[in-house]
C-alpha cells in the first residue's frame, strides 16, 4: 500500500505544539559571548544613496574613483568603452521616473540598516571563530533595478535591496516565480549571504556525482549556516514556511522510504537528481504536498546526525569531501 504524505490540516494540532516549543527555544536562544568578543566594527555603506542622487556625469566619475572595487567588480566598468560611457548610462537610469520611484520605495522600507549591520557583524564573528582565515568583506547596499540580488566575493558583498522589499509590495522581480520570490524578504538576507559564503569552505569530490553527493553538499551548506546563525529559524535557512518544515519532520519516515524503496541515493542522471534537489514549488515525485528541494532537506538531516554522532568540528566537516562516508557514519534514521 502506498502511504500518503500527511495533509497539513491533519497536522494542525501537533503544529501548534511544535510552534509553541520552537518559539520558546528561539526566545531562549543566545549567541555565544566568547565568540562575539571578536566582533569587528562593520559598517554598511548605502551606495544607492550615492548613486541615485547623483545628477551629473562628474558626480558619477567621482563615485567611480571613490568606490573603485564596486565600480570594477559590480558595475564591470571594463565592459564599457570609457568611464564616461558608464556614467552616461547611469545618468539615464537616474532620470527614469520608475527607477526613482523604486529608489523611494527602498528608502521607505529600509530607513536604516542598523539591524542588518548587527546581524552580519555577529555572523562574521562566528565565521571567523570557526575559520580564522576569514576576511571581513566590505558590505554595500544598492538598487540594482532587479538585475542582481546579491553579489558576494571574498572582498565585497553587495545587497540589492530592491529584491528584498515585502512580498506583497507592488515592485517585484518579474523573472522569479512566486514560490521563490516569497523568500526574498528582509529576514532572508543574512541566511542567504552565509549560505553563499559556505561554498568557500564546502569541499566536494568532483568524482562523486550522485544524488547522495548533492544532498550532502546542500546538507553541509545548511548545517554551516545554522552553526553560524544558531538563533535563526530553519525556515529562513532552507526557505520553507514553518508549516512546511513541520510537515517534513512529521513525514520524514515516508520521505526517507521513498528514497530507499526507489534506490535513489546513487542515481547520477542530472534530470532525476534535479527532481529532488532543484528549485520547484513541490517535489511531485514524492508527493504534491512535499515542498521542493526535499533532497536538500534530507541531506541537512543526515549531516546534522553525522556531526553529532562523530563529534567533528565544523571546519573538519566542511573539509570532508566523502559524501558516502558522511552518510555511512551519520547513523541517520528518520525521527518518526
Amino acid at each position: 500500500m502506498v502511504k500518503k504524505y500527511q495533509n497539513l490540516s491533519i497536522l494542525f494540532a501537533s503544529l501548534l505544539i511544535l510552534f509553541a516549543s520552537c518559539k520558546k527555544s528561539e526566545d531562549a536562544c543566545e549567541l555565544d559571548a566568547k565568540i562575539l568578543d571578536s566582533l569587528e566594527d562593520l559598517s554598511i555603506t548605502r551606495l544607492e544613496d550615492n548613486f541615485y542622487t547623483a545628477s551629473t556625469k562628474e558626480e558619477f566619475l567621482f563615485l567611480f574613483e571613490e568606490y573603485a572595487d564596486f565600480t570594477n567588480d559590480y558595475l564591470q566598468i571594463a565592459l564599457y568603452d570609457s568611464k564616461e560611457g558608464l556614467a552616461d548610462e547611469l545618468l539615464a537610469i537616474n532620470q527614469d521616473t520608475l527607477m526613482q520611484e523604486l529608489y523611494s520605495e527602498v528608502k521607505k522600507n529600509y530607513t536604516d540598516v542598523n539591524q542588518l549591520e548587527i546581524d552580519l557583524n555577529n555572523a562574521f564573528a562566528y565565521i571567523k571563530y570557526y575559520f580564522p582565515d576569514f576576511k571581513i568583506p566590505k558590505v554595500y547596499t544598492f538598487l540594482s533595478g532587479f538585475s542582481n540580488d546579491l553579489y558576494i566575493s571574498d572582498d565585497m558583498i553587495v545587497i540589492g535591496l530592491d529584491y528584498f522589499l515585502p512580498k506583497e509590495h507592488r515592485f517585484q522581480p518579474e523573472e522569479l516565480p512566486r514560490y521563490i520570490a516569497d523568500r526574498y524578504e528582509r529576514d532572508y538576507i543574512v541566511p542567504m549571504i552565509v549560505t553563499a559564503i559556505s561554498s568557500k569552505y564546502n569541499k566536494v569530490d568532483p568524482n562523486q556525482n550522485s544524488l547522495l553527493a548533492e544532498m550532502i553538499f546542500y546538507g553541509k551548506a545548511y548545517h554551516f549556516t545554522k552553526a553560524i546563525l544558531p538563533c535563526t529559524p530553519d525556515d529562513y535557512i532552507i526557505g520553507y514556511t514553518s508549516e512546511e518544515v513541520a510537515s517534513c519532520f512529521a513525514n520524514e519516515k515516508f520521505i526517507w522510504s521513498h528514497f530507499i524503496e526507489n534506490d535513489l541515493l546513487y542515481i547520477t542522471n542530472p534530470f532525476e537528481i534535479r527532481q529532488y534537489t532543484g528549485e520547484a514549488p513541490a517535489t511531485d515525485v514524492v508527493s504534491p504536498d512535499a515542498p521542493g528541494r526535499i533532497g536538500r532537506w534530507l541531506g541537512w538531516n543526515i549531516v546534522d546526525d553525522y556531526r553529532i554522532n562523530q563529534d567533528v568540528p565544523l571546519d573538519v566537516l566542511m573539509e570532508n569531501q566523502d559524501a558516502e562516508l558522511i552518510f555511512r557514519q551519520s547513523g541517520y534514521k528518520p525521527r518518526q
Side-chain angles (χ1 to χ4, degrees), residues 118-136:
I118 292 170
D119 293 341
L120 274 177
N121 214 353
N122 291 342
F124 292 160
Y126 264 74
I127 296 174
K128 200 164 184 63
Y129 173 79
Y130 289 111
F131 302 91
D133 66 324
F134 176 70
K135 177 184 174 184
I136 306 298

PDB file of all heavy atoms in Angstrom, residues 118-136:
ATOM      1  N   ILE A 118      24.110  44.678  12.551  1.00  0.00           N
ATOM      2  CA  ILE A 118      24.313  43.869  13.763  1.00  0.00           C
ATOM      3  C   ILE A 118      24.341  42.384  13.408  1.00  0.00           C
ATOM      4  O   ILE A 118      25.228  41.633  13.836  1.00  0.00           O
ATOM      5  CB  ILE A 118      23.205  44.156  14.785  1.00  0.00           C
ATOM      6  CG1 ILE A 118      23.341  45.587  15.325  1.00  0.00           C
ATOM      7  CG2 ILE A 118      23.241  43.147  15.937  1.00  0.00           C
ATOM      8  CD1 ILE A 118      22.157  46.052  16.153  1.00  0.00           C
ATOM      9  N   ASP A 119      23.357  41.952  12.611  1.00  0.00           N
ATOM     10  CA  ASP A 119      23.240  40.526  12.276  1.00  0.00           C
ATOM     11  C   ASP A 119      24.430  40.050  11.444  1.00  0.00           C
ATOM     12  O   ASP A 119      24.949  38.944  11.662  1.00  0.00           O
ATOM     13  CB  ASP A 119      21.931  40.265  11.529  1.00  0.00           C
ATOM     14  CG  ASP A 119      20.712  40.485  12.409  1.00  0.00           C
ATOM     15  OD1 ASP A 119      20.862  40.480  13.641  1.00  0.00           O
ATOM     16  OD2 ASP A 119      19.602  40.664  11.859  1.00  0.00           O
ATOM     17  N   LEU A 120      24.862  40.876  10.506  1.00  0.00           N
ATOM     18  CA  LEU A 120      26.021  40.491   9.696  1.00  0.00           C
ATOM     19  C   LEU A 120      27.297  40.491  10.525  1.00  0.00           C
ATOM     20  O   LEU A 120      28.142  39.603  10.383  1.00  0.00           O
ATOM     21  CB  LEU A 120      26.177  41.442   8.511  1.00  0.00           C
ATOM     22  CG  LEU A 120      25.378  41.117   7.250  1.00  0.00           C
ATOM     23  CD1 LEU A 120      25.571  42.187   6.194  1.00  0.00           C
ATOM     24  CD2 LEU A 120      25.759  39.747   6.694  1.00  0.00           C
ATOM     25  N   ASN A 121      27.418  41.465  11.405  1.00  0.00           N
ATOM     26  CA  ASN A 121      28.590  41.520  12.274  1.00  0.00           C
ATOM     27  C   ASN A 121      28.676  40.269  13.136  1.00  0.00           C
ATOM     28  O   ASN A 121      29.753  39.658  13.293  1.00  0.00           O
ATOM     29  CB  ASN A 121      28.516  42.774  13.150  1.00  0.00           C
ATOM     30  CG  ASN A 121      29.892  43.381  13.428  1.00  0.00           C
ATOM     31  OD1 ASN A 121      30.900  42.798  13.078  1.00  0.00           O
ATOM     32  ND2 ASN A 121      29.915  44.528  14.049  1.00  0.00           N
ATOM     33  N   ASN A 122      27.544  39.862  13.706  1.00  0.00           N
ATOM     34  CA  ASN A 122      27.508  38.636  14.513  1.00  0.00           C
ATOM     35  C   ASN A 122      27.859  37.419  13.675  1.00  0.00           C
ATOM     36  O   ASN A 122      28.634  36.543  14.107  1.00  0.00           O
ATOM     37  CB  ASN A 122      26.121  38.453  15.129  1.00  0.00           C
ATOM     38  CG  ASN A 122      25.807  39.492  16.190  1.00  0.00           C
ATOM     39  OD1 ASN A 122      26.696  40.152  16.717  1.00  0.00           O
ATOM     40  ND2 ASN A 122      24.538  39.650  16.526  1.00  0.00           N
ATOM     41  N   ALA A 123      27.301  37.353  12.477  1.00  0.00           N
ATOM     42  CA  ALA A 123      27.578  36.214  11.597  1.00  0.00           C
ATOM     43  C   ALA A 123      29.053  36.151  11.235  1.00  0.00           C
ATOM     44  O   ALA A 123      29.678  35.071  11.267  1.00  0.00           O
ATOM     45  CB  ALA A 123      26.720  36.312  10.336  1.00  0.00           C
ATOM     46  N   PHE A 124      29.652  37.291  10.908  1.00  0.00           N
ATOM     47  CA  PHE A 124      31.066  37.311  10.541  1.00  0.00           C
ATOM     48  C   PHE A 124      31.949  36.913  11.725  1.00  0.00           C
ATOM     49  O   PHE A 124      32.978  36.254  11.548  1.00  0.00           O
ATOM     50  CB  PHE A 124      31.462  38.689  10.032  1.00  0.00           C
ATOM     51  CG  PHE A 124      30.836  39.061   8.702  1.00  0.00           C
ATOM     52  CD1 PHE A 124      30.753  40.386   8.304  1.00  0.00           C
ATOM     53  CD2 PHE A 124      30.337  38.080   7.858  1.00  0.00           C
ATOM     54  CE1 PHE A 124      30.196  40.729   7.084  1.00  0.00           C
ATOM     55  CE2 PHE A 124      29.770  38.412   6.631  1.00  0.00           C
ATOM     56  CZ  PHE A 124      29.697  39.737   6.248  1.00  0.00           C
ATOM     57  N   ALA A 125      31.541  37.308  12.931  1.00  0.00           N
ATOM     58  CA  ALA A 125      32.301  36.906  14.119  1.00  0.00           C
ATOM     59  C   ALA A 125      32.284  35.391  14.273  1.00  0.00           C
ATOM     60  O   ALA A 125      33.308  34.770  14.603  1.00  0.00           O
ATOM     61  CB  ALA A 125      31.725  37.575  15.367  1.00  0.00           C
ATOM     62  N   TYR A 126      31.122  34.777  14.035  1.00  0.00           N
ATOM     63  CA  TYR A 126      31.002  33.316  14.124  1.00  0.00           C
ATOM     64  C   TYR A 126      31.848  32.635  13.046  1.00  0.00           C
ATOM     65  O   TYR A 126      32.530  31.631  13.310  1.00  0.00           O
ATOM     66  CB  TYR A 126      29.538  32.895  14.006  1.00  0.00           C
ATOM     67  CG  TYR A 126      28.855  32.690  15.344  1.00  0.00           C
ATOM     68  CD1 TYR A 126      28.491  33.767  16.126  1.00  0.00           C
ATOM     69  CD2 TYR A 126      28.576  31.410  15.816  1.00  0.00           C
ATOM     70  CE1 TYR A 126      27.858  33.583  17.359  1.00  0.00           C
ATOM     71  CE2 TYR A 126      27.942  31.210  17.033  1.00  0.00           C
ATOM     72  CZ  TYR A 126      27.584  32.300  17.798  1.00  0.00           C
ATOM     73  OH  TYR A 126      26.973  32.103  19.015  1.00  0.00           O
ATOM     74  N   ILE A 127      31.785  33.154  11.822  1.00  0.00           N
ATOM     75  CA  ILE A 127      32.581  32.545  10.750  1.00  0.00           C
ATOM     76  C   ILE A 127      34.065  32.629  11.083  1.00  0.00           C
ATOM     77  O   ILE A 127      34.820  31.655  10.930  1.00  0.00           O
ATOM     78  CB  ILE A 127      32.290  33.224   9.396  1.00  0.00           C
ATOM     79  CG1 ILE A 127      30.828  33.003   8.979  1.00  0.00           C
ATOM     80  CG2 ILE A 127      33.216  32.658   8.312  1.00  0.00           C
ATOM     81  CD1 ILE A 127      30.416  33.758   7.725  1.00  0.00           C
ATOM     82  N   LYS A 128      34.492  33.775  11.566  1.00  0.00           N
ATOM     83  CA  LYS A 128      35.912  33.968  11.883  1.00  0.00           C
ATOM     84  C   LYS A 128      36.341  33.078  13.055  1.00  0.00           C
ATOM     85  O   LYS A 128      37.494  32.638  13.130  1.00  0.00           O
ATOM     86  CB  LYS A 128      36.182  35.442  12.197  1.00  0.00           C
ATOM     87  CG  LYS A 128      37.634  35.841  12.057  1.00  0.00           C
ATOM     88  CD  LYS A 128      37.799  37.332  11.999  1.00  0.00           C
ATOM     89  CE  LYS A 128      39.253  37.722  11.755  1.00  0.00           C
ATOM     90  NZ  LYS A 128      39.747  37.244  10.451  1.00  0.00           N
ATOM     91  N   TYR A 129      35.410  32.793  13.955  1.00  0.00           N
ATOM     92  CA  TYR A 129      35.716  31.908  15.083  1.00  0.00           C
ATOM     93  C   TYR A 129      36.027  30.494  14.580  1.00  0.00           C
ATOM     94  O   TYR A 129      36.993  29.862  15.024  1.00  0.00           O
ATOM     95  CB  TYR A 129      34.530  31.882  16.049  1.00  0.00           C
ATOM     96  CG  TYR A 129      34.667  30.883  17.168  1.00  0.00           C
ATOM     97  CD1 TYR A 129      35.456  31.145  18.286  1.00  0.00           C
ATOM     98  CD2 TYR A 129      33.995  29.655  17.109  1.00  0.00           C
ATOM     99  CE1 TYR A 129      35.577  30.215  19.314  1.00  0.00           C
ATOM    100  CE2 TYR A 129      34.107  28.722  18.131  1.00  0.00           C
ATOM    101  CZ  TYR A 129      34.900  29.002  19.230  1.00  0.00           C
ATOM    102  OH  TYR A 129      35.018  28.076  20.243  1.00  0.00           O
ATOM    103  N   TYR A 130      35.195  30.014  13.664  1.00  0.00           N
ATOM    104  CA  TYR A 130      35.392  28.653  13.139  1.00  0.00           C
ATOM    105  C   TYR A 130      36.451  28.602  12.042  1.00  0.00           C
ATOM    106  O   TYR A 130      37.109  27.571  11.850  1.00  0.00           O
ATOM    107  CB  TYR A 130      34.072  28.110  12.583  1.00  0.00           C
ATOM    108  CG  TYR A 130      33.049  27.780  13.645  1.00  0.00           C
ATOM    109  CD1 TYR A 130      31.891  28.548  13.783  1.00  0.00           C
ATOM    110  CD2 TYR A 130      33.223  26.700  14.508  1.00  0.00           C
ATOM    111  CE1 TYR A 130      30.943  28.246  14.755  1.00  0.00           C
ATOM    112  CE2 TYR A 130      32.280  26.387  15.480  1.00  0.00           C
ATOM    113  CZ  TYR A 130      31.139  27.162  15.596  1.00  0.00           C
ATOM    114  OH  TYR A 130      30.207  26.864  16.562  1.00  0.00           O
ATOM    115  N   PHE A 131      36.598  29.710  11.309  1.00  0.00           N
ATOM    116  CA  PHE A 131      37.543  29.759  10.187  1.00  0.00           C
ATOM    117  C   PHE A 131      38.375  31.042  10.316  1.00  0.00           C
ATOM    118  O   PHE A 131      38.036  32.080   9.739  1.00  0.00           O
ATOM    119  CB  PHE A 131      36.780  29.743   8.856  1.00  0.00           C
ATOM    120  CG  PHE A 131      35.904  28.532   8.682  1.00  0.00           C
ATOM    121  CD1 PHE A 131      34.572  28.555   9.100  1.00  0.00           C
ATOM    122  CD2 PHE A 131      36.405  27.364   8.127  1.00  0.00           C
ATOM    123  CE1 PHE A 131      33.766  27.443   8.963  1.00  0.00           C
ATOM    124  CE2 PHE A 131      35.605  26.245   7.981  1.00  0.00           C
ATOM    125  CZ  PHE A 131      34.277  26.276   8.406  1.00  0.00           C
ATOM    126  N   PRO A 132      39.457  30.993  11.082  1.00  0.00           N
ATOM    127  CA  PRO A 132      40.243  32.201  11.389  1.00  0.00           C
ATOM    128  C   PRO A 132      40.779  32.931  10.162  1.00  0.00           C
ATOM    129  O   PRO A 132      41.109  34.114  10.240  1.00  0.00           O
ATOM    130  CB  PRO A 132      41.395  31.655  12.251  1.00  0.00           C
ATOM    131  CG  PRO A 132      40.843  30.408  12.867  1.00  0.00           C
ATOM    132  CD  PRO A 132      39.949  29.815  11.810  1.00  0.00           C
ATOM    133  N   ASP A 133      40.862  32.231   9.017  1.00  0.00           N
ATOM    134  CA  ASP A 133      41.375  32.886   7.813  1.00  0.00           C
ATOM    135  C   ASP A 133      40.326  33.772   7.154  1.00  0.00           C
ATOM    136  O   ASP A 133      40.636  34.503   6.203  1.00  0.00           O
ATOM    137  CB  ASP A 133      41.844  31.827   6.808  1.00  0.00           C
ATOM    138  CG  ASP A 133      40.692  30.980   6.271  1.00  0.00           C
ATOM    139  OD1 ASP A 133      39.764  30.686   7.054  1.00  0.00           O
ATOM    140  OD2 ASP A 133      40.717  30.613   5.079  1.00  0.00           O
ATOM    141  N   PHE A 134      39.089  33.748   7.632  1.00  0.00           N
ATOM    142  CA  PHE A 134      38.021  34.522   7.010  1.00  0.00           C
ATOM    143  C   PHE A 134      38.303  36.013   7.117  1.00  0.00           C
ATOM    144  O   PHE A 134      38.600  36.529   8.196  1.00  0.00           O
ATOM    145  CB  PHE A 134      36.674  34.195   7.674  1.00  0.00           C
ATOM    146  CG  PHE A 134      35.521  35.015   7.147  1.00  0.00           C
ATOM    147  CD1 PHE A 134      35.036  34.815   5.863  1.00  0.00           C
ATOM    148  CD2 PHE A 134      34.911  35.979   7.941  1.00  0.00           C
ATOM    149  CE1 PHE A 134      33.980  35.557   5.379  1.00  0.00           C
ATOM    150  CE2 PHE A 134      33.842  36.725   7.466  1.00  0.00           C
ATOM    151  CZ  PHE A 134      33.376  36.520   6.178  1.00  0.00           C
ATOM    152  N   LYS A 135      38.220  36.686   5.994  1.00  0.00           N
ATOM    153  CA  LYS A 135      38.464  38.123   5.935  1.00  0.00           C
ATOM    154  C   LYS A 135      37.109  38.843   5.868  1.00  0.00           C
ATOM    155  O   LYS A 135      36.288  38.539   4.999  1.00  0.00           O
ATOM    156  CB  LYS A 135      39.302  38.463   4.708  1.00  0.00           C
ATOM    157  CG  LYS A 135      39.558  39.948   4.520  1.00  0.00           C
ATOM    158  CD  LYS A 135      40.315  40.193   3.216  1.00  0.00           C
ATOM    159  CE  LYS A 135      40.458  41.683   2.942  1.00  0.00           C
ATOM    160  NZ  LYS A 135      41.119  41.934   1.624  1.00  0.00           N
ATOM    161  N   ILE A 136      36.878  39.790   6.767  1.00  0.00           N
ATOM    162  CA  ILE A 136      35.620  40.523   6.782  1.00  0.00           C
ATOM    163  C   ILE A 136      35.520  41.365   5.510  1.00  0.00           C
ATOM    164  O   ILE A 136      36.372  42.227   5.259  1.00  0.00           O
ATOM    165  CB  ILE A 136      35.512  41.451   8.013  1.00  0.00           C
ATOM    166  CG1 ILE A 136      35.738  40.666   9.300  1.00  0.00           C
ATOM    167  CG2 ILE A 136      34.166  42.159   8.024  1.00  0.00           C
ATOM    168  CD1 ILE A 136      34.731  39.582   9.570  1.00  0.00           C
TER     169      ILE A 136
END
